[in-house]
Amino acid sequence: MWIRTWAMAFAVLISVATLVMRAQVVEEDDTEILKPIAETNEPANRPDLVQAAKQIVEQTNQFREHEKLGRIATNPSLERSAQFFADFMARTSHYGHKANGATPADRAKKFGYEYCIVAENIAYAYSSKGFTTEELENEFVDGWKASPGHRKNMLDPDVTDIGVAVAQGPENGYIFAVQMFGRPKSKALEFSITNESPDTAEYKMGDRTLTLAPRHTRTHQVCRPRDLEFRWPDAEGEGRIVQPHDGDHFVVTKNGETLELRRE
């Protein structure tokens, strides 16, 4: 019988197996310290941790394809970051996104990943019987898929890279998995807006409302595509919504008493 505990506040090891997960959705600073488990027998199964990590990547891409999203590529820097953190948690039994005093983004940058987006799923599992390689990879992937926060990271349409690592504690048998997602800064979308009119232009991007003075140009670099909603100060209920693409240049002009927008 497989028993999973989903709650973050308590991770009780009962009966045969347990799985505990966290997804880095917002900043948090909670850390668990896992105590050793007294075992008298060697587990019957021992997984290949390297192969499990590779299969987690493949299963994640299959999941994305099933949900009509593109595959993401293994990135060496994210792999090194994930391995470092999985090894740290396995060695110290400290578990949490900031267990080593750094954030997922800090660790990604430390290992050379200049990020635009970084997200992280972590989990640990334990079974007194041990796991086969297939059982272990399924335990982590199925658990993440069933959890809204982890699922959101796995199905993020704007990430392009992935790095996964799995490590086992040398004394207590806990197995830790780290799944990192990213989009590099080199893939940020860049576009510019020039106001050639004599009036101040106003537009909304996400939750921000911005103004652009006459005869000025502003360049944006964004990690995720966002609609721009241009509002004309003298118009009632009128505006124009556009989605910028990389390299776009928008120009605001005035035709008589009306402000107009064109894409170049």
Side-chain angles (χ1 to χ4, degrees):
M1 178 175 63
W2 297 96
I3 299 176
R4 294 179 178 174
T5 56
W6 303 100
M8 308 276 270
F10 56 97
V12 183
L13 294 174
I14 50 180
S15 188
V16 177
T18 188
L19 173 68
V20 178
M21 305 171 300
R22 289 188 182 180
Q24 180 75 356
V25 178
V26 295
E27 286 295 312
E28 59 172 275
D29 197 13
D30 297 333
T31 299
E32 296 179 39
I33 302 175
L34 308 178
K35 293 183 178 180
I37 301 169
E39 289 289 351
T40 57
N41 299 313
E42 286 290 318
N45 299 306
R46 291 192 175 277
D48 183 330
L49 303 184
V50 174
Q51 183 62 26
K54 291 180 180 178
Q55 285 304 114
I56 288 172
V57 172
E58 180 56 30
Q59 285 199 43
T60 299
N61 272 321
Q62 291 174 3
F63 182 39
R64 289 176 64 88
E65 288 180 325
H66 182 267
E67 298 297 322
K68 312 302 182 187
L69 294 170
R71 293 175 67 91
I72 49 181
T74 299
N75 179 275
S77 294
L78 290 182
E79 276 192 319
R80 290 193 296 270
S81 179
Q83 191 67 63
F84 164 81
F85 196 44
D87 289 343
F88 171 86
M89 290 191 290
R91 185 177 67 254
T92 65
S93 294
H94 284 59
Y95 174 76
H97 288 289
K98 294 183 180 178
N100 74 326
T103 66
D106 291 334
R107 290 190 291 273
K109 193 168 184 178
K110 174 182 177 180
F111 286 91
Y113 193 79
E114 294 296 329
Y115 67 90
C116 200
I117 298 173
V118 166
E120 180 180 85
N121 289 341
I122 59 175
Y124 67 82
Y126 174 80
S127 171
S128 58
K129 298 188 306 180
F131 296 93
T132 66
T133 302
E134 184 177 3
E135 287 172 342
L136 184 65
E137 65 201 40
N138 289 338
E139 186 79 358
F140 287 131
V141 172
D142 291 346
W144 283 328
K145 287 165 65 175
S147 169
H150 302 82
R151 183 186 183 95
K152 181 179 179 181
N153 285 344
M154 295 172 80
L155 297 180
D156 189 331
D158 299 319
V159 299
T160 59
D161 300 329
I162 186 172
V164 174
V166 183
Q168 185 165 21
E171 296 180 358
N172 58 27
Y174 289 103
I175 302 176
F176 296 84
V178 177
Q179 183 183 49
M180 297 196 74
F181 301 95
R183 183 187 186 96
K185 190 175 292 185
S186 62
K187 291 186 179 179
L189 305 178
E190 183 172 299
F191 60 92
S192 60
I193 305 167
T194 297
N195 184 6
E196 293 183 352
S197 80
D199 300 330
T200 297
E202 181 180 291
Y203 60 98
K204 188 174 182 180
M205 184 173 66
D207 296 330
R208 299 173 60 198
T209 298
L210 301 159
T211 58
L212 186 61
R215 314 304 179 189
H216 280 68
T217 295
R218 178 181 290 128
T219 298
H220 289 278
Q221 289 183 333
V222 298
C223 297
R224 301 182 186 275
R226 297 176 182 175
D227 286 346
L228 301 178
E229 182 180 1
F230 286 86
R231 309 292 296 179
W232 309 139
D234 296 332
E236 294 184 4
E238 296 182 10
R240 182 176 171 188
I241 298 176
V242 295
Q243 185 176 79
H245 302 113
D246 191 38
D248 275 351
H249 181 208
F250 297 97
V251 179
V252 177
T253 59
K254 191 168 186 179
N255 182 8
E257 295 300 317
T258 304
L259 292 178
E260 296 182 341
L261 178 73
R262 71 174 186 269
R263 189 198 303 251
E264 294 184 344

